[in-house]
Structures are given as C-alpha cells and as structure tokens.
Amino acid sequence: MFDQFDALLLARIQFGFTVAFHFLFPAITIGLASYLAVLNGMWLWHRDEAYLRLWKFWVKPFAVVFAMGVVSGITMSYQFGTNWSVFADKTGPVLGPLMAYEVLTAFFLEAGFLGIMLFGRDRVGEKLHMFACLMVAVGTAVSASWILSVNSWMHTPTGYTISEDGQFLPADWLAVIFNPSFLHRFAHTVTAAYLTTAFIVGGVGAWHLLRGRGANRSVTTMFSMAMWMAALVTPVQIFLGDSQGLNTLEHQPVKVMAMEGHYESHPDGAPLVLFGIPNDAERRVDYAIEIPKLSSLILKHDLNAPLAGLDSVPQSEWPPTAIVFFAFRIMVGLGFLMLGVGMWSLWARWRGTLYTGRWLHRAAVVMGPSGLVAVLAGWFTTEVGRQPYTVYGLLRTADSVSPVGAPAVATSLIAYIVIYFVVFGAGVWYVLRLIDQEPGGGTTDGAGDGADALGPIRSAGITPSPQVAEKGAFGPGAAE
C-alpha cells in the first residue's frame, strides 16, 4: 500500500512532526518555570495573596505540560534507532555524551526538585520550597543549553575528527559544546520561550478581564506582568534574532539566500523581499514586493554591500526554498506584532486604561498562541534551511537514514499521528479547562483564597457531608 512512497521523505515527515510537537512543550515550561519561581519569590517578599493565588493557578498547567514534554521527548530518541540509525552511528561519539550530560545534570535536577515544588508547599519550609522552584527553573534552562548545543553542532560542527569508517570523533569538547552558533541559538531560543510564556499568560489574563473579572487582583497582576515582559523582552528578542541572522549568514549562507528569496547574486546591494512566491523552476520570486538595497543594509550594514544568491551554488545544495521563505516571514511578522502589542500596553498603562481597554484585551487574547506559532516557524526556518544535510556540509540527510522500507516508516508515522492527537489532545483540553477557571476561585481582593480555606480535597474514600461532620458522626462518642 505504501510501496510507492519515498522512505526518506516519510522519515523526515515523521521526525519533523514529532520534534515540532515536542518543541511546543519546552517552549512553555522553560518560561513557566521561571514565572512560577518569580511568583513564589514575590509572595515570600510581599506576602501578597495575589501572587500566591497566581502560583497555584499556573502550577497545575505547568505540571501537565511538563509531563507531556517529557513523554513527547522520549519518543524522539527511538527514531534515532529506527529511522536514522546511520546518523546515530556516525555522530554517536559526539552527540551521545552531550545527550547523557543533559540527563545527568538538567533532567536529574528538574526531576529531583519537581516533586518538592509541586507537593511540598505545606510539607517543607518556605525556603526549601523556594529553592526547589529555583532549581526547576534552572534545570529547564540547563536542559535547553545541552539540547541547543547538540543542535548547534549539527549546524556548525567544530572540534571533531572523522575516523576511517566515517564516524565523527570528539577532538576538543569545548569546541564541540561552544560551537560557533551555540550562544546565538541559545540566547534566541530561550528568550523565545520566555516571550511565548509571556503572551500565553497575557492572553489568559486578557481572557479573564474580558469576562468581567477585573476586580480580581490576581487577574490584573497576571496581565500586568505579562505586558511588561512583552514590552521589554520583544525588542531584545528582535535584536537577538538579527544577531542570529548575521551568524547564519557567516556559517550557512545558502540558508540565508533561501530565507531572503535571493535567487540571483546582487553585486551592488540586495533588495529586501517583503513578500512574493518563490519559483524554483524560473529561479525568481513571483509577485515580489521589494525594498531596494535594504537586505544588504540589514545583513551587511551597508546599502551597497554585495550579497551572493542561490545562483552561486548548485541546486542540489538548495534547501526547500518555499518552506524556508514563508516560515521566516511568519516568524518575523509575528515578532513585530508582538512588539506592537507590547508598545500598545505601555501606552494603555500610561493612559490608565491597561485593565479597561477591551480592544487591547482582545488583541492580547488573539496573540496568546503567537509565541508557539513563532517558535515553530523559527524551527522550520532553521531546520529545513539546513537541508540537504543533517551535519551541515558533511553528512547528507539521504545518507543518514536507516535501510528501512516505506511501509514500515508509514505505519509508524500513522501510529504517531493518531496517538499524539489522542493523548496530547486530551492533555491540551485539560490545560484549557484549567486556565479557564478564575484564579483564586472568584476572590476579588487579597483577603484570602477561598479554595485554600476548604483544605485538601479527598481523592479517595468517603468524604463526610458537612452536616454529618458537624454532628461528629465520625468523632469520639459518635456511637452513643
């Protein structure tokens, strides 16, 4: 049934699907872990119930998303053995230890303190609980650093030798870890995770404001903190994105040619193509809307700087141009929309309408998932732009795949799609239900949390009704 399909293409679709799905969860947990640590610190510092209620509101979605991130990450590792065994064999001596370091440092750190963070608030001291929150936040960042080091090495490999049988062998671990694109990629990706969380939190806060819950200080605090992050971090992220682009131009110029839609070389300054439709057959961008020389100004800081085009390399070295071209524009476009919302919130804050401006709240709700879309678009730009290589310039994707048939890959791909949408769809539905509930259960001031006053909720056994409990039916002398 699947014999007519290409096994390599199916393996790429399967890995792209699972990685893209997985990438969404760390993009949330990295930011949420730090947000929870900040909320807990603010609660301990100010003793303001609004921060405590927010911590309790967001810790449940964090736990669910964290679990989904771990599960979706485990399935990816199996594919190195099933669909990408040649890649695993050749790069294992370099990438294997880095992945092991990630488990030994970051995952153990997260797993060791996650239980204390989630369940230890009333069982350990406040200082230890705060320390656990910080360790989980640090653990997510450390985990990101190892994973991005691995990924960056595949884009800009350094510090290796190649054995007689074609294996990459580590020669300088510092050069492997701190390869030329690692720090740029780490800063850009982690900041993207913080920004993604800020817009999710802001979108949820705006949703509650639109539902008339502006009297709840937890809601206004949530929205205010998120909008501060949007206003302050988005410009930083745009600067980091520009830095990442310059690094990519230096080490992966063909990817930048595809991103910019430059089929032809421009010896006297290249235009910036705002929009168009890449046409590989005709080697041009159809219906292009261009600004003359602006691409040279952005990439070389000189209006007349020459820029090479795709005509300078064989077409066999081109990445899928259209995917890279459009994904890059989606990422950049969303980045500037985020900046617009951040600046809008500053203006509303100055005018005193931050909590009453319904158009701002509607915009924040619409932009709530924008960070997730942006990180996916950025991931497609980076990873599809690396093609046709798995290790850039050294190991082609076609030479990395396992010797398996298309029917086997297609069967596992269908299984992944069905299981992912059922399992993770249920998880996402549950998270949406959690964030739809009002923080603090309808408390409108900082006087206390109604949910806390009830005490722990029994999850098993028989819970006595209030009337029976009041009469002491289960207490001493109940039988009299």
Side-chain angles (χ1 to χ4, degrees):
M1 178 179 177
F2 300 107
D3 291 335
Q4 68 274 24
F5 291 98
D6 180 9
L8 173 61
L9 178 61
L10 291 173
R12 289 178 59 188
I13 292 173
Q14 184 178 127
F15 196 71
F17 171 76
T18 52
V19 173
F21 219 103
H22 170 71
F23 193 27
L24 296 175
F25 301 124
I28 299 173
T29 53
I30 291 172
L32 265 187
S34 294
Y35 181 54
L36 288 169
V38 169
L39 289 173
N40 203 51
M42 295 296 283
W43 151 245
L44 294 178
W45 187 12
H46 296 290
R47 295 297 174 181
D48 186 337
E49 290 280 344
Y51 293 112
L52 179 60
R53 289 198 300 273
L54 277 180
W55 187 92
K56 293 180 177 179
F57 177 79
W58 280 108
V59 76
K60 296 174 185 175
F62 170 80
V64 177
V65 174
F66 185 91
M68 289 193 290
V70 172
V71 173
S72 61
I74 291 173
T75 59
M76 286 167 49
S77 60
Y78 290 116
Q79 293 179 56
F80 290 116
T82 54
N83 296 346
W84 302 101
S85 59
V86 179
F87 169 82
D89 175 59
K90 290 186 179 299
T91 63
V94 173
L95 301 187
L98 296 182
M99 299 297 291
Y101 298 152
E102 192 268 341
V103 174
L104 290 174
T105 56
F107 188 72
F108 280 11
L109 191 64
E110 292 170 311
F113 286 97
L114 185 64
I116 299 174
M117 173 183 167
L118 295 179
F119 307 109
R121 170 172 293 282
D122 299 323
R123 295 174 175 81
V124 300
E126 290 182 336
K127 293 181 180 178
L128 177 56
H129 185 257
M130 182 67 220
F131 183 72
C133 292
L134 287 174
M135 289 302 99
V136 172
V138 170
T140 58
V142 173
S143 175
S145 70
W146 285 115
I147 297 301
L148 289 169
S149 178
V150 169
N151 180 263
S152 299
W153 184 85
M154 293 159 64
H155 287 266
T156 53
T158 52
Y160 66 90
T161 60
I162 298 180
S163 68
E164 292 181 354
D165 55 359
Q167 273 194 320
F168 293 90
L169 302 177
D172 182 346
W173 276 113
L174 286 179
V176 169
I177 295 169
F178 296 99
N179 57 78
S181 65
F182 165 59
L183 292 179
H184 295 275
R185 203 179 307 276
F186 176 73
H188 190 45
T189 306
V190 171
T191 305
Y194 289 134
L195 206 52
T196 296
T197 301
F199 273 88
I200 290 175
V201 171
V204 173
W207 171 254
H208 289 293
L209 287 171
L210 287 172
R211 300 188 71 178
R213 294 166 179 170
N216 186 329
R217 279 200 309 108
S218 294
V219 171
T220 54
T221 301
M222 174 176 14
F223 187 65
S224 176
M225 292 176 74
M227 289 300 102
W228 275 124
M229 281 289 291
L232 298 178
V233 176
T234 306
V236 175
Q237 177 67 335
I238 291 174
F239 170 78
L240 293 173
D242 178 65
S243 174
Q244 168 74 8
L246 297 180
N247 180 267
T248 304
L249 178 64
E250 180 181 356
H251 298 282
Q252 296 177 299
V254 180
K255 181 193 297 186
V256 176
M257 295 171 195
M259 290 162 56
E260 297 289 324
H262 290 162
Y263 284 94
E264 297 179 353
S265 298
H266 297 275
D268 301 319
L272 177 67
V273 182
L274 295 176
F275 187 75
I277 301 175
N279 185 335
D280 284 354
E282 299 293 335
R283 299 193 171 203
R284 70 186 184 203
V285 177
D286 294 335
Y287 313 108
I289 301 174
E290 302 177 343
I291 300 177
K293 296 182 182 292
L294 188 56
S295 184
S296 287
L297 179 64
I298 294 172
L299 293 171
K300 294 281 190 176
H301 299 167
D302 180 354
L303 284 171
N304 298 311
L307 280 178
L310 290 168
D311 58 355
S312 63
V313 296
Q315 191 162 354
S316 60
E317 296 293 309
W318 295 8
T321 311
I323 297 176
V324 178
F325 181 87
F326 287 118
F328 176 65
R329 274 149 189 77
I330 291 171
M331 177 187 67
V332 173
L334 286 173
F336 280 99
L337 285 176
M338 291 176 177
L339 180 64
V341 171
M343 296 302 104
W344 189 356
S345 73
L346 287 181
W347 183 67
R349 194 184 298 271
W350 177 68
R351 294 197 60 188
T353 59
L354 184 66
Y355 307 125
T356 57
R358 296 185 72 79
W359 280 109
L360 173 61
H361 301 159
R362 292 187 183 104
V365 170
V366 172
M367 289 294 289
S370 62
L372 296 172
V373 179
V375 295
L376 279 184
W379 181 84
F380 274 102
T381 303
T382 298
E383 302 306 321
V384 177
R386 172 158 48 105
Q387 298 303 318
Y389 293 99
T390 49
V391 180
Y392 195 71
L394 298 169
L395 180 61
R396 297 182 79 89
T397 306
D399 298 327
S400 303
V401 71
S402 300
V404 294
V409 184
T411 303
S412 57
L413 173 59
I414 293 171
Y416 272 119
I417 292 173
V418 173
I419 293 172
Y420 269 48
F421 276 100
V422 171
V423 174
F424 296 121
V428 171
W429 177 78
Y430 180 62
V431 168
L432 291 176
R433 286 199 60 186
L434 287 175
I435 61 179
D436 184 52
Q437 298 172 7
E438 184 175 1
T443 306
T444 57
D445 54 28
D449 188 331
D452 289 349
L454 297 174
I457 297 173
R458 294 174 67 111
S459 59
I462 300 172
T463 301
S465 67
Q467 293 81 2
V468 175
E470 189 177 1
K471 292 178 181 178
F474 295 91
E480 295 177 1

